[in-house]
Amino acid sequence: MLKGKTALVTGSTSGIGLGIAKALARQGANIVLNGFGDVEGPKAEIAALGVKVAYHGADMSKPAEIEDMMKHAAAQFGRVDILVNNAGIQHVARIEDFPTERWDAIIAINLTSAFHATRLALPAMRAANWGRIINVASVHGLVASAEKSAYVAAKHGIVGLTKVTALENASTGVTCNAICPGWVLTPLVQKQVDAKAAALKISNEEAKKLLLGEKEPSMQFTTPDELGELAVFFCSAAGNNVRGVAWNMDGGWVAQ
Ligand code: NAD
């Protein structure tokens, strides 16, 4: 379905970003990966799906590096047809204890980076009259949790940015939508499981159950593969007129 198209997924060396990159690659899209840590493993996983894969190590908190990444993607594959703004970090603390440097980093990586990548991707998408911008927000773009001020502010912000991007392009073939996952067992959440296990002196399995039990009625983690299939739907012809939605995949979290 996406043969000949190029998808750039930020923060795709791990977790949800890698799951979405693999789902788009399974549909034939060439992939530009981004993120830190092991790069060769994810690159090989994508290449094994029979598509071309490139990588750019832009730090998404740095606008000049984002510009360089977008130029690199266009130089490799001609243009970016699908942009997935996924890179994100977390920090958990009460507001009065929240390190100001962590606040700035979360807003830069989880929110401002999507503005920069979007503004740089739009001209070529509009010229082609086809494009998909998918913002990985969170249930925390729809509701809040204590001790996640920067994350909740950034995720509510990216849901707003999604709507504006959708509206400004509503009469074109360029759509923008947000995906709002509940708990997904990636390194980002494993840290929160570990912290709970240590604080309460309980096992990892008990900590996972507690985490799920607090928020997610399904008592089940959403998987990167499931989120990848939602991204594929947004890229399909059936998604042509889906514009500005924030679609939660959260085991019932937000339904309560
Ligand atoms: P993860 O830690 O597994 O992956 C994060 C990715 O972002 C990695 O590839 C990492 O290298 C990259 N990254 C981090 N800082 C970066 C930077 N400055 N520049 C470039 N890349 C950077 O986390 P994940 O759980 O897969 O999270 C991905 C997205 O999904 C985030 O936006 C997160 O907020 C969102 N999300 C996660 C969950 C969850 O339960 N895991 C739930 C809702 C939303």
Side-chain angles (χ1 to χ4, degrees):
M1 187 176 83
L2 300 175
K3 222 171 169 40
K5 301 253 192 277
T6 296
L8 186 157
V9 187
T10 70
S12 46
T13 48
S14 165
I16 294 170
L18 182 56
I20 292 177
K22 287 197 314 204
L24 297 174
R26 279 194 289 271
Q27 296 296 327
N30 295 324
I31 303 292
V32 183
L33 294 173
N34 156 261
F36 303 145
D38 176 33
V39 173
E40 291 314 313
K43 264 177 100 172
E45 281 187 60
I46 301 286
L49 297 168
V51 298
K52 292 189 199 136
V53 55
Y55 168 78
H56 192 285
D59 178 338
M60 295 304 290
S61 66
K62 305 211 163 100
E65 295 188 21
I66 299 173
E67 287 197 23
D68 198 58
M69 175 182 74
M70 299 305 290
K71 282 191 196 139
H72 177 78
Q76 292 281 311
F77 297 127
R79 116 178 135 242
V80 172
D81 304 285
I82 300 162
L83 169 67
V84 183
N85 290 309
N86 166 78
I89 57 169
Q90 175 64 287
H91 186 83
V92 181
R94 288 179 59 85
I95 291 174
E96 61 270 34
D97 302 324
F98 213 91
T100 57
E101 150 292 302
R102 286 289 84 198
W103 171 278
D104 288 343
I106 289 175
I107 299 298
I109 296 165
N110 295 20
L111 176 58
T112 309
S113 73
F115 160 69
H116 289 298
T118 298
R119 76 180 168 80
L120 295 163
L122 275 171
M125 289 181 179
R126 288 185 64 111
N129 200 31
W130 197 93
R132 295 288 185 266
I133 299 174
I134 300 169
N135 292 326
V136 178
S138 165
V139 283
H140 286 114
L142 305 170
V143 295
S145 295
E147 302 192 356
K148 294 186 177 174
S149 54
Y151 190 85
V152 169
K155 295 300 186 181
H156 275 66
I158 205 168
V159 168
L161 176 66
T162 302
K163 292 175 184 171
V164 175
T165 308
L167 288 178
E168 288 185 0
N169 297 284
S171 62
T172 76
V174 180
T175 72
C176 179
N177 294 289
I179 294 178
C180 297
W183 291 124
V184 187
L185 195 56
T186 65
L188 183 141
V189 161
Q190 187 60 51
K191 274 190 212 152
Q192 294 171 63
V193 172
D194 293 344
K196 202 173 262 304
L200 301 176
K201 298 190 172 48
I202 55 177
S203 73
N204 220 275
E205 282 314 304
E206 286 169 316
K208 279 184 203 162
K209 281 205 188 106
L210 261 184
L211 212 74
L212 286 168
E214 283 166 9
K215 303 279 187 184
E216 201 149 318
S218 65
M219 288 303 284
Q220 188 179 308
F221 290 100
T222 301
T223 68
D225 281 348
E226 289 163 352
L227 295 163
E229 292 306 318
L230 181 53
V232 167
F233 167 71
F234 285 138
C235 294
S236 72
N240 275 346
N241 208 24
V242 180
R243 297 175 189 269
V245 307
W247 192 318
N248 37 316
M249 204 185 244
D250 64 354
W253 184 323
V254 171
Q256 296 168 97

